[in-house]
Amino acid sequence: MGESDDIRAMFFEECNDLMEALFEGLKLLEDNTPEPDTVNAVFRAVHSIKGGAGAFKLDDLVSFAHKFETVLDELRADRLSRDDALVQTMLRAADHLAHLVEVSQFDGEINSERGEALLEELDFYVAGEEDEEEVAFEPMTLNFGGIDIEAPSKPTVSVRFQPFEKLYFNGHDPLLLIDALGSQGELSIEIDLDALPALDEYASETPTLTFLLTFTADDPETVVDEVFEFVDGICRLEVVRNDGDDGGDGGSSLEADLSPEPPEQDEPAQANPTEIEQGSKVAAEPSTKAKNIVRNDAVAVQPTLRVELDKVDRLINTVGELIINQAMIAQRIDMLNLPGDGDLESDMADYKLLARELQEGVMSIRAQPVKSLFQRMARITREAGDATGKSVRFVTHGENTEVDKTVIERLADPLTHMIRNAVDHGLEDREGRLAAGKPETGQISLSASHKSGNVMIEVVDDGAGLNRDRILDIAINKGLVSRDSDLTDPEIDMLLFLPGFSTNDEVSELSGRGVGMDVVKTAVQALGGRISINSTPGNGTKFSIVLPLTLAVMDGIVISVAGETMIVPITAVVETLRPKESEVFRMGVDQDLLMIRGEYVPIVDVRKKLGLADSQDQQEQLVLVLVESVDHSRCALCVDAIHDQRQVVIKAVGGNYGEIPGVSAATILGNGRIALILDTDHLTKVETISPPLPSNSKQDVKVAHA
Amino acid sequence: MLDTEGNRREGGLECVSFTVCGQVYCLNIMMIREIRRWASVTTLPHADAHVLGVINLRGNVIPVFDLAVHFGLGRTEPGPRNVVIIADVEGATSGLLVESVSEILTVDPIDIQDPPRFEKDGHSSLIEGVISVGEEMAQLIDLRHLSHARGDAAA
């Protein structure tokens, strides 16, 4: 039971990889830049999914994959030629296949309507072709049976097929493989019983049988390659062409094999030695040729190792501890006030370097290319395009950008939402686009790149841009902003992220699900990232997400407030400064403003904001950290002192305690104590925009009045 | 009422007894992960009075609660003599600052009396029962209510 669950899980994991390969191949086909092996790779992916699904009796999946595979087979055999409509159908079929895999994995409900429609579409390609083929083929098959003279003109190969233990273990059946071969040409089989051990040495787990196949067909090597494609590496396969290069030997065995139905048990002793000899002798050259073909696609892929995520995480944690420990030791040594030229110091520097390197290495294990995520988004785009009747081109850049696995996983939902939004609200409909002088097909582009230690993800559409008047109207009607508030364009754009905001009055099937962009923002923030909007009327909208490379470490500025050490994430910090008295102005009762380069920026007293106000002593000179929040509004945090900038290991505080307003996480300092990492966006939240939500925690309200 | 914990040993329940502001309390030993000496905490913003702050327990951030404040007995003045009991409650780990830990008791479940019910008494919800220990009365704490009690205290 447990084991079969394991195998099932392994199957679905494999499915993910296969789907990735499938979409990758289809994308190449879509761009019409197929490589020689593309169609084969696509076919293989579908075929493998079908095979695995069959083992688990996932009938829906099998039957759909089968149909899909048939079409691909036609394409592979050049009986069907690539055209855009076909590629689109295949993309949708792949989407549906992914859907079926998901349903099988998580027990969802099958979208059978779409499935049937697609089956029909696929049928159109196969049915048309198949009928023709069959008509064309019928007489030829008759010819085969009747006339022997045809046979010698066809090349024959001897195949020596020795399954390894793994082949059986993986659930392959030699009989099925041999049957498959037999269905595509003339085949005779012998079994090499020499390797059979005596009964007392017999180990049931270790396969000993070797099959000696003689196969005649138009292009026997290719057929053999195809049939044994999936057992490559888990069996010994030697393919030797019998005619042509070494005439005598091959000819004789050919003759022998062609003699009708040689009874297997009768001849082995005689036939085997020659076969084996020949096999081993010639194996060197032709098999290298055969292997080269197989290698081609293997070379590109680096060998990988599947490791449980848990193990990696434990390692990362331990390395995180090591970093902290290293910092602690360094601090202890510092306090000893040893003479400055000691070896200890340089050794410590090495230690630090090594620890850092180790950490980076471990972190990179978790990093994965965003490709799979982007492929999923391509699917979402197609679905959204279908649902809205808009024609959409989906373009991606930087799919090989590596990001932490968790980040990728947790980005899926917000990105899905953003893409749906972009298709549904961002792009105009066909008429609108034509009227605006744009091409009929809208474009959504998704890109990822590394930018100064962060990951930048952008979703760009070439639609109409944000309708700011409408946004403002809605926000006012919903009571999210006051009627007389005078907001700048970026501020209006940021209203989209307010909870309970949805621009579409009519709830569309696609994006009106009661969740708005605020969910996106929350998800991005939960990842330690920031999101911003850049919209040009008439030219489209760009959403940019900036994310930390990993969730485990970040750079921060070490400050102290009310006797506590705290960290301000460096991503938010613009600069640190000690303002002159003439640069600080008082507004109202207790609001201070900082004048910096012609701009008035509110000063936020972190101590008060966090409710730590216990000491009254006013500092002589203000120490300010100028921060910029995701909505580009600036704010100066007033702190007691600024100490250092360093990399800190992020520890969640929520697990054992619960969310703390104004604090995003914690870290452990060199002295073993905990320092809180400030959530600058929360601290600097501009009160006029903050929505009057009753559900918000009491602290918020308290702070607002403080 | 206790057998859900799977902690009966030879019919007895093992508890660690400790004092908070002169009163004796005890806690199921199965919930206790370790007992540490007091170390200074990092104060949390907007925290309730009974939340002292967070400490670093081998890389984990653990909140520490002052049981005395929780029971309305004033504050425990943290000092080197005090100890922090690290307890696991429904998957979350937290620390409890107490005055001192006394001993390990084996209690027959029959000897646990239900606590007397007082009307509208918030803190008694944390008390699962009372036990006689020699001349003393020990109050058995059910930490599962600590998180709810936190909400009560905030209100």
Side-chain angles (χ1 to χ4, degrees), chain A residues 175 178-179 187-193 209-214 256-257 259-272:
Chain A
L175 182 63
I178 291 168
D179 273 351
L187 180 70
S188 70
I189 309 156
E190 287 166 40
I191 296 186
D192 179 4
L193 298 169
L209 287 182
T210 301
F211 301 89
L212 306 169
L213 313 170
T214 309
D257 292 333
S259 64
E261 294 163 48
E264 281 168 31
Q265 272 85 348
D266 282 359
E267 275 187 302
Q270 185 211 331
N272 285 340

Side-chain angles (χ1 to χ4, degrees), chain B:
Chain B
M1 65 180 167
L2 288 167
D3 34 13
T4 48
E5 302 293 327
N7 49 24
R8 284 168 192 244
R9 248 197 222 169
E10 297 152 4
L13 171 74
E14 284 195 283
C15 295
V16 172
S17 73
F18 50 86
T19 53
V20 176
C21 282
Q23 296 192 20
V24 181
Y25 292 88
C26 58
L27 182 63
N28 185 344
I29 203 166
M30 298 307 286
M31 290 185 144
I32 298 178
R33 209 202 264 188
E34 64 184 276
I35 294 171
R36 295 167 66 87
R37 211 176 309 153
W38 165 257
S40 61
V41 296
T42 299
T43 320
L44 293 178
H46 309 301
D48 300 326
H50 72 289
V51 182
L52 287 163
V54 284
I55 56 163
N56 164 25
L57 182 72
R58 286 182 297 278
N60 292 311
V61 181
I62 312 284
V64 179
F65 300 99
D66 186 348
L67 275 186
V69 175
H70 207 94
F71 293 132
L73 305 173
R75 291 186 83 93
T76 309
E77 211 45 63
R81 281 179 48 245
N82 297 344
V83 291
V84 176
I85 298 176
I86 307 291
D88 269 334
V89 190
E90 291 177 338
T93 309
S94 39
L96 307 168
L97 174 67
V98 303
E99 232 154 61
S100 62
V101 170
S102 329
E103 58 181 328
I104 296 175
L105 309 169
T106 306
V107 184
D108 193 320
I110 299 168
D111 293 337
I112 302 173
Q113 296 180 26
D114 284 345
R117 297 265 162 227
F118 305 105
E119 263 176 53
K120 291 198 174 181
D121 189 350
H123 97 256
S124 66
S125 65
L126 259 188
I127 308 297
E128 194 175 12
V130 290
I131 311 159
S132 303
V133 183
E135 302 283 292
E136 291 276 358
M137 177 195 75
Q139 305 172 50
L140 183 64
I141 301 179
D142 181 6
L143 282 182
R144 280 170 300 180
H145 294 296
L146 192 64
S147 51
H148 305 303
R150 198 160 72 203
D152 290 347

Side-chain angles (χ1 to χ4, degrees), chain A residues 442-486:
Chain A
Q443 176 165 316
I444 305 265
S445 89
L446 179 60
S447 64
S449 57
H450 285 292
K451 207 173 168 188
S452 60
N454 288 308
V455 181
M456 177 95 152
I457 294 188
E458 291 182 330
V459 179
V460 185
D461 67 61
D462 67 345
L466 296 176
N467 185 345
R468 298 206 169 99
D469 293 339
R470 186 135 170 262
I471 293 172
L472 196 57
D473 265 2
I474 291 171
I476 291 172
N477 284 341
K478 297 200 171 177
L480 298 173
V481 284
S482 59
R483 198 162 289 274
D484 49 357
S485 56
D486 185 18

Side-chain angles (χ1 to χ4, degrees), chain A residues 47 116 224 259 357 382 391 406 423 425 460 512 534-535 559 566 608 629 673 677 693:
Chain A
H47 185 74
E116 270 156 34
V224 169
S259 64
E357 227 163 82
R382 280 193 292 276
S391 138
T406 316
V423 176
H425 306 312
V460 185
N534 195 334
S535 179
I559 57 162
M566 296 182 186
K608 266 195 217 157
S629 47
R673 283 196 56 165
I677 298 171
L693 271 192

